[in-house]
């Protein structure tokens, strides 16, 4: 087998893929940490109320369709936000109920949350979500089995590859994994919990662009993970705009929602 035969195959003449994903955690990001203090929670509310409309406008201008992962609690409290996301042609995926860490739950609780999440999001988006991302990217021993059982197409949680891959088959379905990375996430750099200082946007932007260039050279998938409440501050929205520009001006990169990347991977029967 030659090296070329082992390279991932992307649509048309694309050499790599890129996805813009947003975890609309709102207040649940803080509730899951046991915080119920109003000012801290208001940082979460900034996401759906103030940041989301600006992000949607920016994506529309860039002609990029993204994936939004939304906890059921957030969908129930901000149904108009979910409708606006779906109406703009973006994908909506499941992301727990109150951003609980499924690694702390027993399998029955975890399955109940998965079911609730599907029942809450499906009518708001007009279609059943096919993607699942665990809150805080922490899985239990049965998470992937439950996702397969409930008909999901893909998981976007693992950090072991630069390319998608298939999980072992369970319930007659091999979930496609579209890997993520903390380095492509805004929270480790910008989320302020009172314990360390906030990083300046410029160096973080430079890191993201270099990471994207490297993954593109490796023919992989760059899976950006942003949080509207974090990336939505004006100084960071400027970063997002630069990232969108850079990706759009890089030749032969396929930008798509994760659902389409997963479907491509499955349809082209890549391992
Ligand atoms: Zn989250």
């Amino acid at each position: 087998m030659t090296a070329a035969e082992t390279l991932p195959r992307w649509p048309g003449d694309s050499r790599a893929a890129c996805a813009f994903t947003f975890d609309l955690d709102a207040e649940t990001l803080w509730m899951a940490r046991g915080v119920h203090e109003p000012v801290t929670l208001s940082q979460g509310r900034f996401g759906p109320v103030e940041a989301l409309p600006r992000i949607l406008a920016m994506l529309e201008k860039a002609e990029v369709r993204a994936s939004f992962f939304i906890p059921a609690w957030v969908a129930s409290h901000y149904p108009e936000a979910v409708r606006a996301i779906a109406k703009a042609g973006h994908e909506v995926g499941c992301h727990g109920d109150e951003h609980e860490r499924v690694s702390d739950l027993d399998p029955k609780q975890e399955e109940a949350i998965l079911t609730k999440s599907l029942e809450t999001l499906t009518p708001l988006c007009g279609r059943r979500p096919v993607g699942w991302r665990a809150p805080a990217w922490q899985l239990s021993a049965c998470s992937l089995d439950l996702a397969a059982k409930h008909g999901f197409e893909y998981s976007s949680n693992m950090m072991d590859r630069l390319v998608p891959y298939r999980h072992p088959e369970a319930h007659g379905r091999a979930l496609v994994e579209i890997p993520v990375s903390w380095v492509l996430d805004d929270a480790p750099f910008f989320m302020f919990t009172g314990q360390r200082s906030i990083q300046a946007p410029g160096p973080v932007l430079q890191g993201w662009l270099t990471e994207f260039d490297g993954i593109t050279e490796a023919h992989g998938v760059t899976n950006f993970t942003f949080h509207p409440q974090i990336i939505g501050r004006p100084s960071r929205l400027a970063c997002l705009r630069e990232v969108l520009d850079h990706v759009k001006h890089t030749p032969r990169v396929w930008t798509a929602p994760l659902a389409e990347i997963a479907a491509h991977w499955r349809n082209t029967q890549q391992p």
Side-chain angles (χ1 to χ4, degrees):
M1 187 178 276
T2 65
E5 282 171 317
T6 64
L7 288 176
R9 298 192 301 280
W10 297 111
D13 72 341
S14 303
R15 61 190 157 134
C18 179
F20 288 84
T21 77
F22 296 86
D23 295 357
L24 188 67
D25 296 333
E27 289 97 322
T28 67
L29 187 66
W30 304 98
M31 289 155 52
R33 295 165 168 254
V35 176
H36 297 281
E37 185 277 321
V39 177
T40 307
L41 292 182
S42 75
Q43 295 184 61
R45 196 161 60 248
F46 183 87
V49 170
E50 193 73 47
L52 181 67
R54 292 190 172 84
I55 290 168
L56 291 177
M58 199 179 280
L59 292 172
E60 187 181 0
K61 197 169 169 214
E63 298 181 321
V64 164
R65 283 177 303 118
S67 300
F68 286 79
F69 293 91
I70 308 179
W73 186 96
V74 176
S76 307
H77 285 75
Y78 301 98
E80 285 314 314
V82 184
R83 288 194 192 99
I85 289 165
K87 192 166 168 237
H90 302 294
E91 175 195 5
V92 173
C94 292
H95 192 51
D97 181 10
E98 297 188 14
H99 214 267
E100 55 288 299
R101 290 177 188 238
V102 295
S103 49
D104 297 340
L105 304 177
D106 70 44
K108 278 210 162 58
Q109 288 174 305
E110 186 174 355
E111 188 164 22
I113 286 169
L114 211 50
T115 306
K116 179 179 179 185
S117 175
L118 284 166
E119 284 171 355
T120 307
L121 290 174
T122 301
L124 288 171
C125 338
R127 62 196 300 184
R128 194 178 194 274
V130 298
W132 178 70
R133 174 174 284 168
W137 284 329
Q138 292 197 341
L139 304 193
S140 75
C142 58
S143 295
L144 294 173
D145 186 86
L146 286 173
K149 180 180 170 187
H150 286 272
F152 286 89
E153 291 288 336
Y154 73 89
S155 145
S156 181
N157 294 294
M158 306 299 273
M159 306 194 181
D160 46 352
R161 300 293 308 276
L162 296 179
V163 293
Y165 61 89
R166 291 194 205 210
H167 286 285
E169 198 169 300
H171 305 280
R173 172 179 299 270
L175 287 179
V176 174
E177 179 67 41
I178 307 179
V180 292
S181 165
W182 285 113
V183 80
L184 288 169
D185 184 321
D186 54 0
F189 302 107
F190 298 136
M191 186 174 171
F192 183 63
T193 59
Q195 285 165 1
R196 57 176 165 79
S197 57
I198 295 171
Q199 296 205 27
V204 176
L205 168 65
Q206 197 52 53
W208 286 338
L209 300 184
T210 310
E211 187 75 16
F212 164 78
D213 289 343
I215 295 173
T216 299
E217 248 175 67
H219 299 262
V221 52
T222 304
N223 192 352
F224 288 109
T225 302
F226 300 124
H227 299 76
Q229 64 181 284
I230 297 172
I231 200 75
R233 299 300 313 184
S235 57
R236 301 172 190 150
L237 272 182
C239 286
L240 177 59
R241 193 181 299 112
E242 295 266 342
V243 174
L244 283 162
D245 269 1
H246 183 84
V247 170
K248 293 284 287 183
H249 288 102
T250 302
R252 297 174 53 221
V253 173
W254 179 46
T255 302
L258 295 183
E260 292 179 21
I261 293 174
H264 166 79
W265 202 261
R266 188 179 297 287
N267 295 338
T268 50
Q269 300 186 343
Q270 300 184 74

